[in-house]
Amino acid sequence: MLTSILIVIFLAALIGIILGISSIKFKVEGDPIIDKIDSILPQTQCGQCGFPGCKPYATAIANGAADINQCPPGGDEGIHKLADLLGVEYKPLNAEHGEPKPKSVAVIDEKTCIGCTLCIQACPVDAILGSAKHMHTIIEKECTGCELCLPPCPVDCIDMTPIEENAENWKWKYPVYKIDKSSERRVS
Amino acid sequence: MKVFEKIFKFNGGIQAKTKKNISTTSPIKQFGLPSKIILPLRQHIGKLAKLKVSVGDHVLKGQLIAEADGNVSAAIHAPTSGKVLSIEKQLIPHPSGLPDFCVEIEPDGKDKWVQIKPTNWKKIDLEKVNKLLLSSGIVGLGGAAFPTHLKLNHGKAENSLKTLIINAAECEPYITCDDMLMREKTNELILGIKLVHEILGVEESVIGIEDNKTVAINLLTKAIENEKNIFLKIVPTIYPSGDAKRLIYLLKGIKIPKSQRSSDYGIQMFNVATIIAIYRFLEFGEPSISRIVTITGNLRSPRNYEVLLGTPLKEIIDAAGGQVIKNNTFIMGGPMMGFKLPSINVPVTKAMNCIISSEPDMVEEKKPVLPCIRCARCAEACPVQLQPQELFWFSKSKQLEKAEEYNLFDCIECGCCSYVCPSNIPLVQYYRFAKSEIIEERQEQEQANIARERNEFRILRLEREKQERAERNALRREQSSNEDKTKLIEEKRKAIADALKRIEAGGEEQ
């Protein structure tokens, strides 16, 4: 009787120690669900969701403070992925937060730019280069197309240009072929 | 030559009508100077070449037009002497049918060479040969256009390469440019093989050739009679024996696993035309400015032409007599893996090994596409031993992750599955679509990661700046004692009082 109690106590203590050590050693930094949500978000940092960036929005989703359908750049696909991850029902994009647009980059009209640095301060990813009273320019590769630089510009010299399809970014299309035989006759 | 060495057989593959004799009856013809040269800057896998000329420049034959941008890129040289007319977007032979940057040259008819000098490749080390090749513009001429210098990276330095394989299989129907090259430039090919053999420091060189090229086999057998380290291995005519991994298996019995390269197994492979290009560059200093193109199919006089890169395809088609049955449909590459050209108004590029003028049965989509009946004939035909019917299902329903799980990226797009499909499903088109989607998704993810990093750093920076400012202010506040402060306030009050006095005095004067 006593030995069995002792064995149980010993086992409990041993497991307790192992659990204790592993909880220190394998401690997970940060909240993994926030990171998972954040990795689905498109990282445009545009704030259309009503939060100041993708990470805050991810945090809000994780805390239940925001819905999954507030990110226009992520589009339908993003909402589906979030719904899958969180195990909730899919919802169509909330139109209050804007419509999905084709991927664009900002372009500064360098003749008009007065060098006020306001856009530089607004850019969430430091993709604008320039200094006071000198022309600014956008590092195209780093621009996420968030449009946050548009409102602060006092001379309205920034335009959003959609990224055009070219031989480099071209993709194979989904196969489309005729099923109706009669329509094929007309080809020749 | 060892006769006892056996040929290993890979799974699947197809035996289609080769139709090679259409273009092998007449010898290779020099096309000569075209009326204009249009050189696309994108002729290879990798980064766009960096321009080195401007509009109005006079260039000489062999002069550098654009240099390689980084390591994964290839240089472009002027194929003849003349004037640079324009640098703008023009139609290129690309499945997208989209225009891309091209340099247009008006030949002056003199065809004057820039000074070229042979390299003393015997005396310099592999690294230097590599650097030279980077400037040669030579890419894999079998059709993939992979920069050749990258393939020499695993050479002598690691002393790991044992076998050089010369890919002379040319397994796709219709294409005969390598066959004709081997027939007409046998000696040059052997010299080239010896050269690459020595540069790489390999123990043996093996030419892998399909058994339907009897003339070339006879010539090569005679040519290597006295060579100790060059072997000829004849493989059966089963498509796609010319695929790198399939040919390695056929010749050596080695299966290269996914995500590994043949060089990890001591094997490096070059196409016959590439070997000759390397030879001509290292021995004579000639950069990559021309290639052999098979012009075949539904034409009056199909044959092989040696053409300058940038020659308008239309001029070559006209020289070949034009189409017998007009349908204006042309395929670049073979009928299995090639693609329909958007237009005939495109220039010849380094990747253009064959142009097929479509025969009537290739154009009309006579056979309607039917549903998949899961007969699994595609699985039997797949030389990579994938499950094409599953890949089709996942690609069609856009379950891209699933498709990837079923090794979509191991698919070599050889088209055997589409060929045998009794329902006429364009399977490869689905795989290409799925691959494109996945690649784009990956790129987007990468860009998002960079954006996240930059955003996080910016937030960190703003935070740090704020903190530093607060610290500075606190320090200043601390430094200035109360005494100083009262003194400062008194000084300011005095200044204000003085100013007021001045104003009063000024007012009286008025």
Side-chain angles (χ1 to χ4, degrees):
Chain A
M1 178 68 187
L2 191 68
T3 34
S4 44
I5 291 172
L6 280 175
I7 288 171
V8 170
I9 290 171
F10 172 74
L11 276 177
L14 187 76
I15 293 167
I17 289 166
I18 293 172
L19 282 174
I21 292 171
S22 47
S23 76
I24 295 165
K25 203 154 190 186
F26 303 111
K27 197 174 180 204
V28 181
E29 294 280 339
D31 193 343
I33 192 73
I34 294 180
D35 283 340
K36 273 187 193 159
I37 298 171
D38 194 37
S39 71
I40 292 173
L41 297 176
Q43 304 302 320
T44 29
Q45 318 291 353
C46 60
Q48 291 182 73
C49 52
F51 296 89
C54 295
K55 190 84 178 241
Y57 178 43
T59 317
I61 294 176
N63 298 336
D67 223 333
I68 57 167
N69 61 347
Q70 303 183 359
C71 175
D76 239 19
E77 214 178 309
I79 301 171
H80 273 295
K81 278 188 187 163
L82 284 174
D84 282 348
L85 174 72
L86 301 168
V88 293
E89 202 77 14
Y90 160 81
K91 290 175 185 168
L93 187 72
N94 189 345
E96 273 174 37
H97 296 277
E99 296 279 313
K101 288 178 196 169
K103 241 187 138 199
S104 315
V105 288
V107 177
I108 293 179
D109 178 13
E110 294 171 354
K111 277 182 219 149
T112 326
C113 175
I114 53 168
C116 67
T117 75
L118 287 177
C119 58
I120 296 181
Q121 292 160 37
C123 180
V125 289
D126 285 339
I128 306 180
L129 205 68
S131 62
K133 291 183 184 168
H134 287 85
M135 180 196 77
H136 304 340
T137 193
I138 285 166
I139 309 169
E140 201 188 310
K141 235 174 72 188
E142 314 290 1
C143 177
T144 62
C146 68
E147 303 189 0
L148 288 181
C149 51
L150 299 187
C153 181
V155 289
D156 231 353
C157 71
I158 309 176
D159 275 319
M160 300 304 295
T161 43
I163 298 171
E164 259 177 50
E165 191 180 45
N166 58 37
E168 191 165 8
N169 64 19
W170 175 83
K171 295 193 296 179
W172 285 95
K173 303 287 178 291
Y174 192 79
V176 181
Y177 38 80
K178 290 177 206 112
I179 295 172
D180 181 12
K181 274 174 102 180
S182 59
S183 67
E184 281 178 5
R185 293 279 170 267
R186 276 184 259 128
V187 174
S188 55
Chain B
M1 210 171 123
K2 290 178 220 165
V3 268
F4 52 85
E5 273 192 286
K6 79 178 244 222
I7 298 290
F8 300 81
K9 232 188 133 261
F10 61 84
N11 176 71
I14 53 157
Q15 278 174 297
K17 273 183 196 158
T18 61
K19 305 225 177 176
K20 288 188 188 263
N21 52 1
I22 300 175
S23 52
T24 50
T25 44
S26 25
I28 300 172
K29 192 178 175 188
Q30 297 285 333
F31 183 76
L33 276 184
S35 67
K36 58 180 176 181
I37 295 269
I38 300 156
L39 280 177
L41 294 181
R42 189 187 305 283
Q43 296 192 33
H44 48 263
I45 287 175
K47 274 186 161 176
L48 215 63
K50 262 196 284 185
L51 257 183
K52 284 277 150 190
V53 291
S54 40
V55 177
D57 284 3
H58 189 269
V59 290
L60 292 174
K61 185 175 187 167
Q63 190 181 324
L64 189 72
I65 293 276
E67 67 174 5
D69 183 11
N71 213 16
V72 190
S73 185
I76 290 162
H77 301 79
T80 184
S81 58
K83 200 175 125 189
V84 178
L85 273 188
S86 71
I87 297 164
E88 56 186 16
K89 281 197 169 178
Q90 299 207 37
L91 214 54
I92 59 164
H94 189 269
S96 68
L98 292 168
D100 204 358
F101 289 105
C102 296
V103 177
E104 190 173 333
I105 298 170
E106 185 184 37
D108 60 8
K110 290 176 195 150
D111 208 24
K112 196 182 162 203
W113 271 97
V114 73
Q115 204 188 358
I116 51 169
K117 51 175 192 273
T119 53
N120 48 346
W121 56 271
K122 272 186 183 159
K123 292 196 184 110
I124 55 177
D125 58 3
L126 189 72
E127 213 172 293
K128 279 193 186 135
V129 172
N130 247 324
K131 259 193 198 148
L132 284 170
L133 275 174
L134 179 66
S135 69
S136 72
I138 297 174
V139 299
L141 294 172
F146 185 73
T148 297
H149 65 275
L150 293 170
K151 282 185 147 190
L152 288 170
N153 272 346
H154 299 268
K156 255 179 199 164
E158 290 160 37
N159 212 9
S160 57
L161 284 186
K162 288 196 172 62
T163 311
L164 164 68
I165 293 180
I166 292 91
N167 190 343
E170 202 168 48
C171 57
E172 274 223 53
Y174 288 94
I175 310 177
T176 57
C177 55
D178 288 350
D179 185 11
M180 295 309 286
L181 195 65
M182 286 188 283
R183 290 189 202 184
E184 296 187 19
K185 295 190 177 169
T186 322
N187 288 330
E188 213 162 306
L189 175 65
I190 302 300
L191 289 171
I193 293 171
K194 281 198 211 158
L195 184 150
V196 179
H197 185 110
E198 203 173 323
I199 290 176
L200 290 176
V202 292
E203 290 161 12
E204 53 166 5
S205 295
V206 185
I207 307 170
I209 189 165
E210 271 192 354
D211 57 10
N212 59 359
K213 298 179 211 8
T214 41
V215 182
I217 290 171
N218 285 338
L219 286 167
L220 284 170
T221 316
K222 230 175 266 167
I224 60 168
E225 254 173 359
N226 300 319
E227 302 293 340
K228 261 191 245 158
N229 303 319
I230 303 177
F231 308 99
L232 185 73
K233 273 202 174 183
I234 299 156
V235 301
T237 305
I238 296 173
Y239 176 83
S241 65
D243 171 66
K245 287 187 177 175
R246 260 26 73 191
L247 190 60
I248 289 171
Y249 185 70
L250 279 167
L251 301 178
K252 306 292 291 181
I254 297 170
K255 280 189 179 171
I256 313 285
K258 183 188 187 128
S259 78
Q260 271 185 314
R261 291 183 187 165
S262 64
S263 51
D264 299 332
Y265 288 78
I267 300 167
Q268 193 54 280
M269 184 183 285
F270 291 98
N271 168 270
V272 280
T274 317
I275 291 274
I276 293 181
I278 297 172
Y279 169 75
R280 293 209 65 85
F281 175 70
L282 291 178
E283 199 68 43
F284 307 105
E286 282 176 28
S288 173
I289 55 165
S290 68
R291 71 155 298 141
I292 312 238
V293 189
T294 306
I295 306 291
T296 184
N298 159 30
L299 290 167
R300 289 216 169 71
S301 44
R303 72 188 304 164
N304 280 276
Y305 283 99
E306 181 163 6
V307 291
L308 297 175
L309 298 175
T311 303
L313 183 60
K314 193 171 181 305
E315 292 184 19
I316 308 171
I317 299 290
D318 288 344
Q323 287 190 307
V324 180
I325 302 157
K326 291 252 183 298
N327 54 32
N328 282 323
T329 314
F330 294 86
I331 292 164
M332 171 167 153
M336 300 296 292
M337 290 185 73
F339 60 89
K340 202 176 125 188
L341 279 176
S343 151
I344 195 175
N345 294 315
V346 292
V348 172
T349 60
K350 291 173 187 174
M352 194 182 276
N353 52 356
C354 178
I355 296 292
I356 306 170
S357 162
S358 292
E359 300 195 38
D361 62 328
M362 292 161 91
V363 183
E364 283 173 44
E365 287 158 23
K366 275 184 195 161
K367 307 167 189 166
V369 177
L370 301 167
C372 170
I373 54 169
R374 299 185 82 78
C375 63
R377 269 166 75 177
C378 47
E380 278 164 33
C382 181
V384 194
Q385 285 167 291
L386 297 172
Q387 300 283 306
Q389 77 281 16
E390 300 291 321
L391 288 174
F392 161 64
W393 185 249
F394 295 134
S395 304
K396 192 179 178 186
S397 54
K398 301 185 188 172
Q399 299 181 53
L400 302 176
E401 267 170 41
K402 269 289 213 201
E404 226 181 322
E405 238 172 71
Y406 275 70
N407 299 319
L408 173 68
F409 279 91
D410 283 2
C411 167
I412 55 171
E413 299 174 24
C414 64
C416 289
C417 49
S418 316
Y419 183 85
V420 297
C421 181
S423 291
N424 311 311
I425 302 169
L427 292 157
V428 177
Q429 284 187 38
Y430 280 101
Y431 308 149
R432 282 176 173 162
F433 156 76
K435 281 183 183 177
S436 282
E437 285 295 310
I438 294 170
I439 289 168
E440 196 199 27
E441 214 169 273
R442 280 186 196 160
Q443 281 168 347
E444 271 174 8
Q445 195 62 48
E446 213 171 286
Q447 275 172 344
N449 287 343
I450 293 171
R452 182 186 298 117
E453 219 171 87
R454 288 178 79 88
N455 180 249
E456 275 169 8
F457 180 77
R458 182 186 135 91
I459 292 169
L460 205 78
R461 197 196 71 217
L462 291 178
E463 199 66 32
R464 195 187 61 207
E465 275 172 8
K466 208 169 146 191
Q467 213 176 339
E468 279 173 357
R469 208 178 304 131
E471 270 169 26
R472 263 202 313 272
N473 287 346
L475 202 72
R476 216 178 292 148
R477 236 174 280 136
E478 230 170 74
Q479 273 174 350
S480 53
S481 60
N482 279 339
E483 223 172 279
D484 289 339
K485 269 183 198 162
T486 42
K487 212 174 159 189
L488 204 77
I489 291 167
E490 264 172 31
E491 261 174 33
K492 275 190 181 164
R493 275 191 188 145
K494 205 176 161 238
I496 293 167
D498 286 351
L500 281 171
K501 262 183 208 164
R502 274 205 305 277
I503 292 166
E504 268 171 31
E508 275 166 17
E509 266 169 37
Q510 271 180 353

